Amino acid sequence: MDLRIFTEPQQGATYDTLLTVAKATEELGFDAFFRSDHYLRMGSVDGLPGPTDAWITLAGLARETKRIRLGTLMTAGTFRLPGVLAIQVAQVDQMSGGRVELGLGAGWFEEEHKAYGIPFPKEKFARLEEQLEIVTGLWSTALGKTYDFHGTYYDLTDSPALPKPAQEKIPVLVGGHGATRTPRLAAKYADEFNIPFASIEDSERQFGRVRAAAQEAGRDGDDLVYSNALVVCVGRDDQEVARRAEAIGRQPDELRLNGLAGTPAEVVDKIGRYAEIGASRIYLQILDLDDLDHLELISSQVQSQLS
């Protein structure tokens, strides 16, 4: 089971804070550092000092880390034109020496679009499909060849399809809870399918849909990595769990039900149940980015047992 650190910087984080967490992620043996792609805080937090851009952040981290994978859960398709996104991600992949992964989603948070003057189209899912086709098509076009795409929302003519990533193929993540279109997109474009904040039962059901969609597309369902994203709150005892829960404005019982919370033994047991239904990777949503002792505890007493 791979454990990856997943952050939500729109809730309030500077680049320096993210760099500190990313370096701890690397030093403590976690597989990857991922971040959300949002420009507006959610809930009652103040979000200070304000948003950071996902791909600018990852470009900086690409030069200041050496081993960990770097990526997004999920890049908002509404924020960037697909041709521009393909250039950005390929460049960050080069800057990292081939450690980038792209999670790409349709975008959903209308308020942040209003706040920063970003168009929020109605046809987000259809646009996402064209975006996935274009980004992966540009990267896979042979050197010296050009790429064309003529769709409903995007039109590319004689693109040199440059630059190329450092990796032969950047892993693409597709995710979500949708029962029909989401599994179909994952089957066609994704190397990994991720379901966020879902129960074991809902995860098993959705993984099954993706496997079925892959088979219908002529692909082995085992070609994909299946992963979960879950909030994490670990403590050596109930008092420490309660303290960490309070720090992020949550209740221990609710976190135990909806995430990975409790003592290391409790969390290891629950991760094992996700593994039983096919998950091989978990993105641990870390909401208190100043609590590096939390990461150390997860590394020494949770991750160590899983490996």
Side-chain angles (χ1 to χ4, degrees), residues 146-166:
T146 58
Y147 176 80
D148 291 81
F149 179 87
H150 306 292
T152 302
Y153 307 103
Y154 304 103
D155 200 289
L156 287 75
T157 301
D158 291 333
S159 172
L162 296 172
K164 298 302 185 194

PDB file of all heavy atoms in Angstrom, residues 146-166:
ATOM      1  N   THR A 146       3.041  16.528 -36.178  1.00  0.00           N
ATOM      2  CA  THR A 146       2.160  17.548 -35.625  1.00  0.00           C
ATOM      3  C   THR A 146       0.862  16.920 -35.143  1.00  0.00           C
ATOM      4  O   THR A 146       0.515  15.797 -35.529  1.00  0.00           O
ATOM      5  CB  THR A 146       1.841  18.639 -36.667  1.00  0.00           C
ATOM      6  OG1 THR A 146       1.230  18.028 -37.808  1.00  0.00           O
ATOM      7  CG2 THR A 146       3.096  19.384 -37.082  1.00  0.00           C
ATOM      8  N   TYR A 147       0.157  17.669 -34.304  1.00  0.00           N
ATOM      9  CA  TYR A 147      -1.077  17.183 -33.692  1.00  0.00           C
ATOM     10  C   TYR A 147      -2.231  18.098 -34.074  1.00  0.00           C
ATOM     11  O   TYR A 147      -2.106  19.325 -34.012  1.00  0.00           O
ATOM     12  CB  TYR A 147      -0.924  17.135 -32.170  1.00  0.00           C
ATOM     13  CG  TYR A 147      -2.176  16.732 -31.430  1.00  0.00           C
ATOM     14  CD1 TYR A 147      -2.556  15.400 -31.329  1.00  0.00           C
ATOM     15  CD2 TYR A 147      -2.983  17.694 -30.822  1.00  0.00           C
ATOM     16  CE1 TYR A 147      -3.705  15.025 -30.642  1.00  0.00           C
ATOM     17  CE2 TYR A 147      -4.137  17.326 -30.128  1.00  0.00           C
ATOM     18  CZ  TYR A 147      -4.489  15.990 -30.047  1.00  0.00           C
ATOM     19  OH  TYR A 147      -5.632  15.634 -29.370  1.00  0.00           O
ATOM     20  N   ASP A 148      -3.346  17.489 -34.457  1.00  0.00           N
ATOM     21  CA  ASP A 148      -4.563  18.221 -34.773  1.00  0.00           C
ATOM     22  C   ASP A 148      -5.716  17.659 -33.954  1.00  0.00           C
ATOM     23  O   ASP A 148      -5.797  16.444 -33.736  1.00  0.00           O
ATOM     24  CB  ASP A 148      -4.905  18.101 -36.271  1.00  0.00           C
ATOM     25  CG  ASP A 148      -3.922  18.842 -37.156  1.00  0.00           C
ATOM     26  OD1 ASP A 148      -2.838  18.289 -37.435  1.00  0.00           O
ATOM     27  OD2 ASP A 148      -4.231  19.973 -37.554  1.00  0.00           O
ATOM     28  N   PHE A 149      -6.591  18.553 -33.539  1.00  0.00           N
ATOM     29  CA  PHE A 149      -7.811  18.144 -32.846  1.00  0.00           C
ATOM     30  C   PHE A 149      -8.903  19.154 -33.160  1.00  0.00           C
ATOM     31  O   PHE A 149      -8.699  20.364 -33.031  1.00  0.00           O
ATOM     32  CB  PHE A 149      -7.589  18.078 -31.332  1.00  0.00           C
ATOM     33  CG  PHE A 149      -8.826  17.687 -30.562  1.00  0.00           C
ATOM     34  CD1 PHE A 149      -9.131  16.345 -30.359  1.00  0.00           C
ATOM     35  CD2 PHE A 149      -9.689  18.650 -30.061  1.00  0.00           C
ATOM     36  CE1 PHE A 149     -10.277  15.980 -29.667  1.00  0.00           C
ATOM     37  CE2 PHE A 149     -10.829  18.296 -29.356  1.00  0.00           C
ATOM     38  CZ  PHE A 149     -11.126  16.951 -29.167  1.00  0.00           C
ATOM     39  N   HIS A 150     -10.034  18.645 -33.590  1.00  0.00           N
ATOM     40  CA  HIS A 150     -11.151  19.521 -33.933  1.00  0.00           C
ATOM     41  C   HIS A 150     -12.386  19.010 -33.199  1.00  0.00           C
ATOM     42  O   HIS A 150     -13.047  18.066 -33.632  1.00  0.00           O
ATOM     43  CB  HIS A 150     -11.364  19.540 -35.443  1.00  0.00           C
ATOM     44  CG  HIS A 150     -10.116  19.891 -36.205  1.00  0.00           C
ATOM     45  ND1 HIS A 150      -9.550  21.143 -36.145  1.00  0.00           N
ATOM     46  CD2 HIS A 150      -9.308  19.129 -36.990  1.00  0.00           C
ATOM     47  CE1 HIS A 150      -8.444  21.154 -36.888  1.00  0.00           C
ATOM     48  NE2 HIS A 150      -8.284  19.945 -37.402  1.00  0.00           N
ATOM     49  N   GLY A 151     -12.650  19.621 -32.038  1.00  0.00           N
ATOM     50  CA  GLY A 151     -13.762  19.181 -31.208  1.00  0.00           C
ATOM     51  C   GLY A 151     -14.846  20.234 -31.095  1.00  0.00           C
ATOM     52  O   GLY A 151     -14.860  21.233 -31.825  1.00  0.00           O
ATOM     53  N   THR A 152     -15.721  20.017 -30.158  1.00  0.00           N
ATOM     54  CA  THR A 152     -16.805  20.962 -29.920  1.00  0.00           C
ATOM     55  C   THR A 152     -16.314  22.209 -29.203  1.00  0.00           C
ATOM     56  O   THR A 152     -16.781  23.322 -29.472  1.00  0.00           O
ATOM     57  CB  THR A 152     -17.906  20.289 -29.077  1.00  0.00           C
ATOM     58  OG1 THR A 152     -18.372  19.125 -29.760  1.00  0.00           O
ATOM     59  CG2 THR A 152     -19.070  21.238 -28.833  1.00  0.00           C
ATOM     60  N   TYR A 153     -15.327  22.044 -28.303  1.00  0.00           N
ATOM     61  CA  TYR A 153     -14.893  23.143 -27.451  1.00  0.00           C
ATOM     62  C   TYR A 153     -13.480  23.627 -27.738  1.00  0.00           C
ATOM     63  O   TYR A 153     -13.148  24.772 -27.408  1.00  0.00           O
ATOM     64  CB  TYR A 153     -14.986  22.716 -25.976  1.00  0.00           C
ATOM     65  CG  TYR A 153     -16.345  22.179 -25.620  1.00  0.00           C
ATOM     66  CD1 TYR A 153     -16.573  20.804 -25.481  1.00  0.00           C
ATOM     67  CD2 TYR A 153     -17.428  23.037 -25.467  1.00  0.00           C
ATOM     68  CE1 TYR A 153     -17.830  20.310 -25.178  1.00  0.00           C
ATOM     69  CE2 TYR A 153     -18.689  22.556 -25.171  1.00  0.00           C
ATOM     70  CZ  TYR A 153     -18.884  21.186 -25.031  1.00  0.00           C
ATOM     71  OH  TYR A 153     -20.134  20.708 -24.749  1.00  0.00           O
ATOM     72  N   TYR A 154     -12.648  22.778 -28.333  1.00  0.00           N
ATOM     73  CA  TYR A 154     -11.255  23.131 -28.579  1.00  0.00           C
ATOM     74  C   TYR A 154     -10.866  22.754 -30.003  1.00  0.00           C
ATOM     75  O   TYR A 154     -11.357  21.753 -30.547  1.00  0.00           O
ATOM     76  CB  TYR A 154     -10.330  22.425 -27.581  1.00  0.00           C
ATOM     77  CG  TYR A 154     -10.689  22.708 -26.139  1.00  0.00           C
ATOM     78  CD1 TYR A 154     -11.378  21.755 -25.371  1.00  0.00           C
ATOM     79  CD2 TYR A 154     -10.366  23.916 -25.541  1.00  0.00           C
ATOM     80  CE1 TYR A 154     -11.727  22.011 -24.057  1.00  0.00           C
ATOM     81  CE2 TYR A 154     -10.716  24.183 -24.219  1.00  0.00           C
ATOM     82  CZ  TYR A 154     -11.401  23.228 -23.485  1.00  0.00           C
ATOM     83  OH  TYR A 154     -11.753  23.478 -22.183  1.00  0.00           O
ATOM     84  N   ASP A 155      -9.964  23.557 -30.574  1.00  0.00           N
ATOM     85  CA  ASP A 155      -9.540  23.336 -31.953  1.00  0.00           C
ATOM     86  C   ASP A 155      -8.037  23.583 -32.035  1.00  0.00           C
ATOM     87  O   ASP A 155      -7.566  24.695 -31.772  1.00  0.00           O
ATOM     88  CB  ASP A 155     -10.305  24.289 -32.886  1.00  0.00           C
ATOM     89  CG  ASP A 155     -10.288  23.813 -34.324  1.00  0.00           C
ATOM     90  OD1 ASP A 155      -9.216  23.885 -34.946  1.00  0.00           O
ATOM     91  OD2 ASP A 155     -11.334  23.375 -34.815  1.00  0.00           O
ATOM     92  N   LEU A 156      -7.271  22.550 -32.354  1.00  0.00           N
ATOM     93  CA  LEU A 156      -5.822  22.660 -32.495  1.00  0.00           C
ATOM     94  C   LEU A 156      -5.433  22.255 -33.908  1.00  0.00           C
ATOM     95  O   LEU A 156      -5.877  21.211 -34.404  1.00  0.00           O
ATOM     96  CB  LEU A 156      -5.093  21.742 -31.504  1.00  0.00           C
ATOM     97  CG  LEU A 156      -5.084  22.127 -30.017  1.00  0.00           C
ATOM     98  CD1 LEU A 156      -6.444  21.860 -29.370  1.00  0.00           C
ATOM     99  CD2 LEU A 156      -3.992  21.347 -29.280  1.00  0.00           C
ATOM    100  N   THR A 157      -4.595  23.069 -34.548  1.00  0.00           N
ATOM    101  CA  THR A 157      -4.171  22.802 -35.912  1.00  0.00           C
ATOM    102  C   THR A 157      -2.656  22.903 -36.009  1.00  0.00           C
ATOM    103  O   THR A 157      -2.060  23.898 -35.587  1.00  0.00           O
ATOM    104  CB  THR A 157      -4.816  23.802 -36.891  1.00  0.00           C
ATOM    105  OG1 THR A 157      -6.250  23.699 -36.791  1.00  0.00           O
ATOM    106  CG2 THR A 157      -4.397  23.511 -38.328  1.00  0.00           C
ATOM    107  N   ASP A 158      -2.030  21.863 -36.551  1.00  0.00           N
ATOM    108  CA  ASP A 158      -0.586  21.834 -36.788  1.00  0.00           C
ATOM    109  C   ASP A 158       0.219  22.162 -35.526  1.00  0.00           C
ATOM    110  O   ASP A 158       1.222  22.878 -35.574  1.00  0.00           O
ATOM    111  CB  ASP A 158      -0.196  22.793 -37.913  1.00  0.00           C
ATOM    112  CG  ASP A 158      -0.703  22.328 -39.280  1.00  0.00           C
ATOM    113  OD1 ASP A 158      -0.876  21.107 -39.452  1.00  0.00           O
ATOM    114  OD2 ASP A 158      -0.930  23.184 -40.148  1.00  0.00           O
ATOM    115  N   SER A 159      -0.190  21.625 -34.394  1.00  0.00           N
ATOM    116  CA  SER A 159       0.583  21.847 -33.175  1.00  0.00           C
ATOM    117  C   SER A 159       1.868  21.026 -33.219  1.00  0.00           C
ATOM    118  O   SER A 159       1.829  19.823 -33.521  1.00  0.00           O
ATOM    119  CB  SER A 159      -0.232  21.427 -31.946  1.00  0.00           C
ATOM    120  OG  SER A 159       0.592  21.485 -30.791  1.00  0.00           O
ATOM    121  N   PRO A 160       3.002  21.627 -32.910  1.00  0.00           N
ATOM    122  CA  PRO A 160       4.244  20.846 -32.844  1.00  0.00           C
ATOM    123  C   PRO A 160       4.267  19.875 -31.677  1.00  0.00           C
ATOM    124  O   PRO A 160       5.161  19.033 -31.584  1.00  0.00           O
ATOM    125  CB  PRO A 160       5.325  21.917 -32.695  1.00  0.00           C
ATOM    126  CG  PRO A 160       4.626  23.080 -32.089  1.00  0.00           C
ATOM    127  CD  PRO A 160       3.224  23.050 -32.632  1.00  0.00           C
ATOM    128  N   ALA A 161       3.294  19.987 -30.781  1.00  0.00           N
ATOM    129  CA  ALA A 161       3.152  19.067 -29.637  1.00  0.00           C
ATOM    130  C   ALA A 161       4.414  19.028 -28.785  1.00  0.00           C
ATOM    131  O   ALA A 161       4.896  17.971 -28.396  1.00  0.00           O
ATOM    132  CB  ALA A 161       2.776  17.669 -30.131  1.00  0.00           C
ATOM    133  N   LEU A 162       4.915  20.193 -28.481  1.00  0.00           N
ATOM    134  CA  LEU A 162       6.107  20.344 -27.650  1.00  0.00           C
ATOM    135  C   LEU A 162       5.781  21.266 -26.478  1.00  0.00           C
ATOM    136  O   LEU A 162       4.860  22.073 -26.564  1.00  0.00           O
ATOM    137  CB  LEU A 162       7.244  20.945 -28.480  1.00  0.00           C
ATOM    138  CG  LEU A 162       7.748  20.100 -29.656  1.00  0.00           C
ATOM    139  CD1 LEU A 162       8.733  20.904 -30.494  1.00  0.00           C
ATOM    140  CD2 LEU A 162       8.386  18.809 -29.164  1.00  0.00           C
ATOM    141  N   PRO A 163       6.507  21.128 -25.373  1.00  0.00           N
ATOM    142  CA  PRO A 163       7.622  20.227 -25.118  1.00  0.00           C
ATOM    143  C   PRO A 163       7.143  18.834 -24.725  1.00  0.00           C
ATOM    144  O   PRO A 163       5.970  18.658 -24.378  1.00  0.00           O
ATOM    145  CB  PRO A 163       8.327  20.901 -23.942  1.00  0.00           C
ATOM    146  CG  PRO A 163       7.201  21.528 -23.175  1.00  0.00           C
ATOM    147  CD  PRO A 163       6.234  22.010 -24.218  1.00  0.00           C
ATOM    148  N   LYS A 164       8.062  17.881 -24.768  1.00  0.00           N
ATOM    149  CA  LYS A 164       7.758  16.537 -24.301  1.00  0.00           C
ATOM    150  C   LYS A 164       8.139  16.388 -22.822  1.00  0.00           C
ATOM    151  O   LYS A 164       9.108  16.984 -22.352  1.00  0.00           O
ATOM    152  CB  LYS A 164       8.534  15.490 -25.119  1.00  0.00           C
ATOM    153  CG  LYS A 164       8.176  15.479 -26.591  1.00  0.00           C
ATOM    154  CD  LYS A 164       6.702  15.219 -26.819  1.00  0.00           C
ATOM    155  CE  LYS A 164       6.380  15.084 -28.300  1.00  0.00           C
ATOM    156  NZ  LYS A 164       4.924  15.158 -28.557  1.00  0.00           N
ATOM    157  N   PRO A 165       7.391  15.601 -22.073  1.00  0.00           N
ATOM    158  CA  PRO A 165       7.764  15.335 -20.679  1.00  0.00           C
ATOM    159  C   PRO A 165       9.062  14.549 -20.590  1.00  0.00           C
ATOM    160  O   PRO A 165       9.517  13.947 -21.568  1.00  0.00           O
ATOM    161  CB  PRO A 165       6.585  14.500 -20.163  1.00  0.00           C
ATOM    162  CG  PRO A 165       5.490  14.656 -21.172  1.00  0.00           C
ATOM    163  CD  PRO A 165       6.156  14.927 -22.477  1.00  0.00           C
ATOM    164  N   ALA A 166       9.655  14.528 -19.420  1.00  0.00           N
ATOM    165  CA  ALA A 166      10.825  13.684 -19.186  1.00  0.00           C
ATOM    166  C   ALA A 166      10.439  12.212 -19.180  1.00  0.00           C
ATOM    167  O   ALA A 166      11.191  11.358 -19.671  1.00  0.00           O
ATOM    168  CB  ALA A 166      11.486  14.061 -17.864  1.00  0.00           C
TER     169      ALA A 166
END
